[in-house]
Each structure stands twice: as structure tokens, then as C-alpha cells.
Amino acid sequence: MLDEDTNTNTTSWGPRVCDTCRSAPCAVFCRADSAYLCASCDARVHAANTLASRHERVWVCEACERAPAAFLCKADAASLCSSCDADIHSANPLASRHQRVPIGPMYGPPSGPLNGPNGELVGMVEDEEDEDDDEEEAASWLLLNNTNTTTAAAATNHNNSNSSNNNQNHHHHQQSNNNGFLFGGEVDEYLDLVDCNSCGDDDNNHHNNNNNNQFAVDGVDHHYGQQQQYGGGGGGQRSYGGGGVGDSVVPVQHFQLGLEFEPSNKAGYNNYSASISQSVSVSSMEVGVVPESSISNGSIICHSRPPKGTIDLFSGPPMQMAASHLTPMDREARVLRYREKKKTRKFEKTIRYASRKAYAETRPRIKGRFAKRTDVEAEVDQMFSTPLMTEVGYGIVPSF
DNA sequence: GGTGCTGTCCTAACCACAGTCAAGT
DNA sequence: CTACTTGACTGTGGTTAGGACAGCA
């Protein structure tokens, strides 16, 4: 049938379509049939008989959705092909430390437990475990039913010992619990509960007034330091597609604002890049640069900007209240969104003002600090910059 | 088990200045 | 109402001090 690398049944970009039904995106690759199948076709085909049920299948890469997955990234809870794995996990030091495990083939009927040749749990099971973890983690963000979930108990256990040491969170990613509120480092980024607080943030509002402050109370290091290029949670990039969406619960298809679709950008899992990226890569550096002009234009702001110097922490509905009103469906949808956002995390630093970056790079420094430009340096700069201007302009005669 | 030392890792702060915005004239 | 001025503020990158942690004696 089809070769693994062929894409004859797909568009030039986008998820590969199921070879059987040719309508749904493929979910698994069957080696025996050399076919990409969606979940339903996989279930139908491989439950047909015992022989078919023994077909070796692997997940399709969640990033490109075009190649069989080779690794499972536990940190991102994503199955990745070797190419995407290399791309994503070489992006920065933090990503490179993600724990990945090779994905073994799946056997057996699709609905049943999937065992490896030796009966060990492989493939989907690995994912299932991870999803359980995800479920717990996501549930903890939802602040729901803290009396009947193990998550709440777990959260309590976490916080038995950390009341005086929030710094623990820096490295162990514990969630501190302040008066029943979970201000986890990720909650602001991955849940709509807080999206309302953060919408209109630096994606859409270049006057974010130091968003670090908004969640500084959590004491959680977002690992998005300005210099270390671990991405940007606070003042850095927040292009998770959640901002400005308002109250929508189900995963929403967002549209890029005035920017070209960038299929080659695998900094995040690019099956979502259409929805998340207001950043574009314009240089060889592994950062997304947001054109300044796009920042003010692409505004979908659901909250007005808070007064300067204020912390707009509770401008939205109280978290506890919002969460307690969730129906099971809402909860499931939010968990789904949480997972999807988790998969689309981008850890690269986003440059929002390329011009400022350019200035900063050319600026003289003393021990890393910006130093004042001397007159001589300014003249030299003018000498070098003037020819550039003349290249694009109409000829400005340099004055000496 | 508790304490002190050492090495490693990580983060916040610092700096100057172009650009932006809001308020005032 | 429009145009201009002024001051406050933001964001940018490389370096470093200092805190946190792990490992060892």
C-alpha cells in the first residue's frame, strides 16, 4: 500500500488522512498493512479477526501527524516521530532533558489492553498511564470536588511540608496551596480559569505591564527566565492560543492574525501551530519574533488593561467559584484543553520587538550590562548604518 | 541522623536606550 | 478638535551575585 513516507492522500501540509476512510485524520500506523488508520478504522480492521489483531501498530506522531511515532515524551505527554523528537528536544536545554521512552509496537485488539511481545505494557498503555497522570494533574487545576478526588488528597500531601518553602517548587514543580487555591505554575497558562485573567496579555497587549506580577503569588518558577531561554510563561511568550478566547470551553480553532502559516516551525507541536503562533521565525535563532506592527493590530482583548501598578489577579470570576460551577462535560472539555495546551507548549523565547533585539545586540556592554554609547561609537554606528539606509532608501549623503 | 563543606545549577538583577503611549499644552 | 511636547514606561541581551540543592565526609 503506501510507503511510510508517502503523502499521496494528504494535502501538502496537515495531518495524514486515514488510508481506509480517507476522511478522518490517522491515529495509528499499521506496519503489517503499511497503512495509516484512524481510530475507528483501526478498531474495525484489527478487531476483525485474530490475525489482524496481531498486527503491529504504532501511534502516529502527534506533532507532524504524518509519521509513525518513535518516542513518547513523558514531559509533553506526546508521541513523536524521530524527526519531530529531534527538532523539539533540541530546541533548548530544558526540552532536551525531557524524559523520552521508545514506543514499542502495539498488539491486540484496539479496545483491549495492548501488550508487547513479552506481555509488557507498551505503546498505548504508556500513554494511558501518562494520561492518568495528566488527568490527576489536570484535575488538580480544576479545583473540583476536593473531597472526593485523590488529586485533592495528593495536593494536600504535597503541601504538608512546603508551607514555608515555596522555593521547592522551583525544581520539583510542586504546587503550593494557598488557602485552598492552587496557584500552580502552569495553571495560568493552561486553564481558562485563569486565561480570563491573562487574556489580553502579551499576545494581544504589548503593554502587559510585567505579567510576572500577575501570578507572582504562586512562588512557582515558571522556568521562563528572560535570559535562560526556557520559554516565557510570565513576561515571555504566552502564545498558547488561550488568550483572548474568552469563556469558550471546548478547544477552539484560533486564527493567526496577519501572519503567514509557518509549517516548518516545529518549535511547538505544529499541528497546533496555526492556532498558537503569533510569532514568526525571522532569523536563524531559535526564537519566534513577533513583528511590532502585529502586536497592536492583532488585539482580541476581552479585558481592559488594568490600571498601571495594579495586579489584576482577581479581575475574573473567582477561581473557586468558576470551578465549582463546572459540569462534568465542562470539566472534561477543560481537561482536554489543558492537555492540548500542554502539548503545544513552546519553550523558546519569543522576541516581540525585533528592533529592540537588534539594538540590544549591537549595544556596548560592560560585564554584560548595557553601557553608555560614546560619541565615537555613535559616529561609527552612523557610518555603518547609513549605507544600509541608502540601500533601501533614496540615497542619504552621510555627513562627516 | 545531623552538620558542615564543596561543587553545580539556576534565577533575578543590572545596565542603556529606542520605541510607545497617555497626559498635558 | 488637532497637533505637538513631555514624561513615564517597556523590552531587549550578556554577565554575575547569590540562593538552592545534591553529594560527600
Side-chain angles (χ1 to χ4, degrees):
Chain A
M1 288 174 79
L2 289 173
D3 183 79
E4 287 189 22
D5 292 323
T6 59
N7 54 359
T8 53
N9 65 341
T10 61
T11 55
S12 61
W13 173 250
R16 189 186 289 270
V17 178
C18 171
D19 287 333
T20 302
C21 65
R22 297 192 180 277
S23 58
C26 64
V28 299
F29 174 74
C30 174
R31 294 192 190 280
D33 296 326
S34 295
Y36 289 88
L37 302 170
C38 66
S40 58
C41 290
D42 175 51
R44 183 165 44 81
V45 170
H46 293 109
N49 55 59
T50 315
L51 189 62
S53 71
R54 290 185 201 152
H55 283 184
E56 213 178 271
R57 284 112 64 205
V58 292
W59 288 111
V60 171
C61 172
E62 291 182 43
C64 62
E65 297 186 90
R66 305 180 64 79
F71 299 97
L72 173 73
C73 173
K74 290 196 167 187
D76 294 322
S79 311
L80 303 170
C81 65
S82 18
S83 170
C84 292
D85 175 67
D87 282 345
I88 290 165
H89 292 110
S90 63
N92 58 60
L94 189 63
S96 69
R97 281 191 277 164
H98 284 183
Q99 186 185 359
R100 285 109 72 198
V101 295
I103 294 181
M106 308 177 295
Y107 299 92
S111 57
L114 295 149
N115 299 328
N118 302 322
E120 74 278 21
L121 299 175
V122 294
M124 286 181 178
V125 177
E126 193 88 50
D127 240 6
E128 287 290 329
E129 287 176 347
D130 214 45
E131 287 207 354
D132 286 345
D133 292 343
D134 257 10
E135 182 73 30
E136 285 191 11
E137 190 181 354
S140 72
W141 305 128
L142 290 169
L143 312 168
L144 275 177
N145 302 331
N146 55 358
T147 58
N148 62 356
T149 63
T150 57
T151 306
T156 306
N157 288 338
H158 278 163
N159 292 293
N160 280 342
S161 59
N162 71 352
S163 59
S164 64
N165 190 5
N166 281 340
N167 287 327
Q168 289 279 336
N169 297 334
H170 285 248
H171 301 291
H172 302 300
H173 295 276
Q174 292 178 343
Q175 297 118 34
S176 56
N177 185 346
N178 298 323
N179 300 325
F181 285 83
L182 287 165
F183 287 118
E186 292 180 325
V187 63
D188 52 321
E189 294 158 16
Y190 301 125
L191 275 188
D192 280 338
L193 297 175
V194 196
D195 275 349
C196 283
N197 281 340
S198 59
C199 68
D201 59 9
D202 38 10
D203 274 347
N204 305 317
N205 179 3
H206 70 288
H207 255 266
N208 65 348
N209 277 334
N210 190 6
N211 279 328
N212 286 326
N213 290 339
Q214 289 196 346
F215 298 99
V217 293
D218 61 3
V220 174
D221 172 24
H222 297 276
H223 283 230
Y224 299 138
Q226 203 173 347
Q227 306 89 354
Q228 309 285 350
Q229 297 199 0
Y230 291 128
Q237 54 109 354
R238 284 263 195 114
S239 44
Y240 296 105
V245 181
D247 228 356
S248 56
V249 172
V250 294
V252 185
Q253 189 76 25
H254 306 294
F255 296 93
Q256 207 168 2
L257 300 170
L259 295 174
E260 287 187 8
F261 188 74
E262 178 53 65
S264 65
N265 180 9
K266 290 182 181 170
Y269 296 94
N270 52 19
N271 48 330
Y272 298 106
S273 64
S275 67
I276 63 172
S277 62
Q278 283 204 0
S279 62
V280 294
S281 299
V282 297
S283 71
S284 60
M285 298 186 66
E286 294 279 337
V287 292
V289 180
V290 179
E292 294 184 32
S293 60
S294 72
I295 293 167
S296 54
N297 293 339
S299 299
I300 308 175
I301 300 174
C302 66
H303 280 258
S304 61
R305 174 183 165 192
K308 284 179 180 175
T310 62
I311 298 176
D312 191 23
L313 188 56
F314 300 111
S315 63
M319 293 173 67
Q320 190 82 37
M321 215 173 92
S324 65
H325 288 162
L326 290 178
T327 67
M329 281 186 65
D330 286 341
R331 182 181 179 280
E332 189 175 349
R334 290 191 179 215
V335 169
L336 201 68
R337 273 202 73 186
Y338 162 77
R339 285 191 191 136
E340 298 212 345
K341 284 186 176 182
K342 191 175 177 181
K343 288 177 187 173
T344 63
R345 278 183 294 189
K346 291 171 67 178
F347 292 98
E348 294 75 31
K349 182 181 178 183
T350 296
I351 300 299
R352 302 200 295 125
Y353 297 93
S355 60
R356 289 177 175 173
K357 173 181 167 66
Y359 280 119
E361 285 176 344
T362 61
R363 195 160 292 161
R365 299 167 187 274
I366 298 174
K367 286 189 175 181
R369 296 181 178 185
F370 293 128
K372 282 190 178 181
R373 265 207 174 96
T374 63
D375 292 342
V376 176
E377 286 168 339
E379 279 190 22
V380 170
D381 273 359
Q382 192 177 6
M383 286 172 61
F384 281 100
S385 62
T386 304
L388 288 176
M389 293 172 66
T390 59
E391 283 180 10
V392 296
Y394 283 94
I396 299 172
V397 179
S399 59
F400 297 101

